[in-house]
Amino acid sequence: MKESTGGTRERIQAVALELFTEQGYEKTSLREIAERLNVTKAALYYHFKSKDEIVTSFVNDRLERIDELVAWAESQPPTRETRRELIAQYADTMFAGDHPSVMRFFEQNQTVLKSLAAGQQMRGRMMRLASELCRGDDSPRAQLRAALSLFAVHTSWFAVRTPHITDADRRKIALEVADELLARIGQPADDGTAPATEADGGTTPGSGPAARG
Amino acid sequence: MKESTGGTRERIQAVALELFTEQGYEKTSLREIAERLNVTKAALYYHFKSKDEIVTSFVNDRLERIDELVAWAESQPPTRETRRELIAQYADTMFAGDHPSVMRFFEQNQTVLKSLAAGQQMRGRMMRLASELCRGDDSPRAQLRAALSLFAVHTSWFAVRTPHITDADRRKIALEVADELLARIGQPADDGTAPATEADGGTTPGSGPAARG
DNA sequence: GTCTATAATTTGATAGAC
DNA sequence: GTCTATCAAATTATAGAC
């Protein structure tokens, strides 16, 4: 909260976030972070008492933000409108704000974050967020659709490889696709049930590419 | 190919795959793998000449399998039926076979795999697979839907938290949801265009939870 | 606040006996 | 095929000067 340093602490956070996201948490050493900032490792330890405390430092405000979202959603009726509003607000935390990439860091470091306290907390929060998105319909389909609607927001900007697309466009498209998924939650399976197509069978032998034993 | 060892090589692969997936590639040391097998590190180096060669060893057949799928898809017309068949076959490589978890390893180690040769190859293959799933419709929406249909298969078994669900059920549900997404590809945006909802605006101020600057 | 210097540990990998 | 012993390098973290 105190800016006395001249923002060195913030610069460390920024560089660490970038390198952790690009290369992974474990593969990024404190030496590398220090070199990029033209300081020594010891300087880093003045600002953060350990490597994973750097992660904790930029994770906490995200946790708060998600808690706000979940708390708000719980106060609303479990309607499609609530879900639509919830995912839209969530997308804002992804595309706007000063951390458009904190969640990307999480996506890229899921495994390592299992053993980090901050990571476990975040996992829990995302679970709750997904649960909230399918409140009132705990069918497996609904759970999967809710999770995928979050993925739609997360992956929209690397899964879409159209050349000159803007962040605003990505957000818009992500929300459109997410809304398609969320719209089917809570409905009595009118089309999403796929009654008797070939999608419920086995390997559909012979019709596809060479099936190997 | 030669089984003379008594399957030690295969045991190493199995344990490594498990630990890499649970803890991450970087965080899993060769010592840990060796201890779990009650052998020494040196024994590991008899079977594999480096750590990343262990990865390569169980990645290669997956690459082949995906190449087969892509090649087959390219020989087919870019119809919904082809896409449906393609994703179903892909799901089979996820849920059946002796490696139901190799793709999970990839999902959990995306970042580290950027710097591994085998990982880069796999990334390329998955890109091609996604492209194939939206062939004939290169709109951003189609690209996102195609990617999400793959995610549906990948995440179906951890995103769905229903107590006593079987793998077969997970596969079925994943394909249903994937098919919902793929069904909208190639269509002239009849519903998926979301013409003028609130999903295209900004923060929808005031209506959602407390928006912070 | 930042530095030099270094401790303490771990890691991937090799050499050579059996 | 597996072992003991060891290497060279890298890593997180600390101590203390300026």
Side-chain angles (χ1 to χ4, degrees), chain B residues 77-99:
Chain B
T79 65
R80 177 180 171 186
E81 273 312 306
T82 298
R83 292 192 291 273
R84 189 207 293 270
E85 186 72 29
L86 181 56
I87 197 81
Q89 287 286 339
Y90 179 73
D92 281 343
T93 74
M94 285 291 298
F95 286 95
D98 43 338
H99 308 260

Side-chain angles (χ1 to χ4, degrees), chain B residues 112-132:
Chain B
V112 185
L113 283 168
K114 280 189 208 168
S115 52
L116 254 52
Q120 291 174 333
Q121 292 178 323
M122 191 53 126
R123 282 177 74 87
R125 296 307 202 288
M126 294 305 292
M127 292 286 201
R128 289 190 59 185
L129 193 54
S131 294
E132 206 56 47

Side-chain angles (χ1 to χ4, degrees), chain B residues 13-200:
Chain B
Q13 288 177 320
V15 169
L17 179 57
E18 180 183 342
L19 292 181
F20 289 165
T21 304
E22 274 179 24
Q23 311 177 337
Y25 174 81
E26 294 282 348
K27 203 164 194 190
T28 303
S29 66
L30 296 179
R31 173 188 54 76
E32 196 174 357
I33 297 175
E35 278 176 2
R36 184 105 147 212
L37 289 165
N38 287 319
V39 294
T40 58
K41 282 190 298 174
L44 265 52
Y45 277 97
Y46 171 82
H47 293 278
F48 301 95
K49 79 172 203 291
S50 71
K51 188 183 182 184
D52 67 72
E53 215 213 51
I54 301 180
V55 174
T56 306
S57 73
F58 54 62
V59 158
N60 279 343
D61 29 325
R62 286 303 260 223
L63 288 178
E64 276 183 50
R65 181 63 181 141
I66 295 185
D67 281 342
E68 289 173 14
L69 285 175
V70 170
W72 172 81
E74 282 173 345
S75 75
Q76 299 294 115
T79 65
R80 177 180 171 186
E81 273 312 306
T82 298
R83 292 192 291 273
R84 189 207 293 270
E85 186 72 29
L86 181 56
I87 197 81
Q89 287 286 339
Y90 179 73
D92 281 343
T93 74
M94 285 291 298
F95 286 95
D98 43 338
H99 308 260
S101 51
V102 178
M103 290 308 297
R104 217 194 130 215
F105 157 77
F106 269 95
E107 222 191 320
Q108 297 283 325
N109 289 279
Q110 280 187 47
T111 312
V112 185
L113 283 168
K114 280 189 208 168
S115 52
L116 254 52
Q120 291 174 333
Q121 292 178 323
M122 191 53 126
R123 282 177 74 87
R125 296 307 202 288
M126 294 305 292
M127 292 286 201
R128 289 190 59 185
L129 193 54
S131 294
E132 206 56 47
L133 278 170
C134 61
R135 184 156 58 107
D137 181 359
D138 60 345
S139 70
R141 279 169 204 77
Q143 290 179 27
L144 183 54
R145 291 193 192 106
L148 283 180
S149 71
L150 288 172
F151 274 114
V153 176
H154 288 172
T155 69
S156 60
W157 74 269
F158 82 86
V160 177
R161 296 177 301 283
T162 302
H164 299 91
I165 193 166
T166 66
D167 275 4
D169 283 335
R170 290 186 193 278
R171 179 187 176 278
K172 183 171 186 289
I173 289 158
L175 286 182
E176 286 174 12
V177 176
D179 195 51
E180 291 170 12
L181 287 158
L182 294 176
R184 301 207 187 226
I185 292 179
Q187 290 183 352
D190 54 69
D191 188 23
T193 187
T197 68
E198 61 194 289
D200 56 18

